[in-house]
Amino acid sequence: MTRRDYCRCASVRNFDYDHAAEKLGCNRRWLEDNISRLPHQKFGQSPVFCDCELALIQAMFTVLPADVLELLSADEGQETRAEPEPERVRALREIRPSGSRRSTAVS
């Protein structure tokens, strides 16, 4: 996905911190503290949010209890898919050299 593929706004209306916080029902301070993790646009010093970005933020922090997920999957006739487990990252002390890498020099 490129930077703006998610945006489906017919006309983009950008909201500042105060208006975005009001639309999301959160504190301006929360947006300011978490701006590096949130989708937004930045023009100069001032981050702004369009409706699509506010919808993404809302989706990022939506919590669905297991009961609701079961109802949704039953309605769709599909089971919920388990996310694949990420590959385990080994600790530095577990890493060992792969062995000799002798190369023969061509003369």
Side-chain angles (χ1 to χ4, degrees), residues 29-100:
R29 177 68 190 258
W30 184 85
L31 288 173
E32 291 172 336
D33 290 348
N34 292 284
I35 193 64
S36 64
R37 301 181 323 143
L38 302 174
H40 65 282
Q41 303 165 58
K42 191 161 186 183
F43 301 107
Q45 296 290 323
S46 304
V48 293
F49 307 86
C50 75
D51 283 318
C52 292
E53 290 156 345
L54 296 178
L56 285 172
I57 293 168
Q58 186 178 22
M60 288 170 63
F61 294 95
T62 298
V63 177
L64 297 176
D67 296 346
V68 174
L69 289 173
E70 289 174 16
L71 288 173
L72 290 173
S73 65
D75 287 345
E76 293 176 2
Q78 300 175 353
E79 293 182 24
T80 55
R81 292 186 223 157
E83 292 291 322
E85 290 188 24
E87 190 174 315
R88 181 170 127 3
V89 177
R90 296 183 347 196
L92 185 59
R93 66 177 170 268
E94 295 175 0
I95 299 173
R96 300 286 179 252
S98 63
S100 175

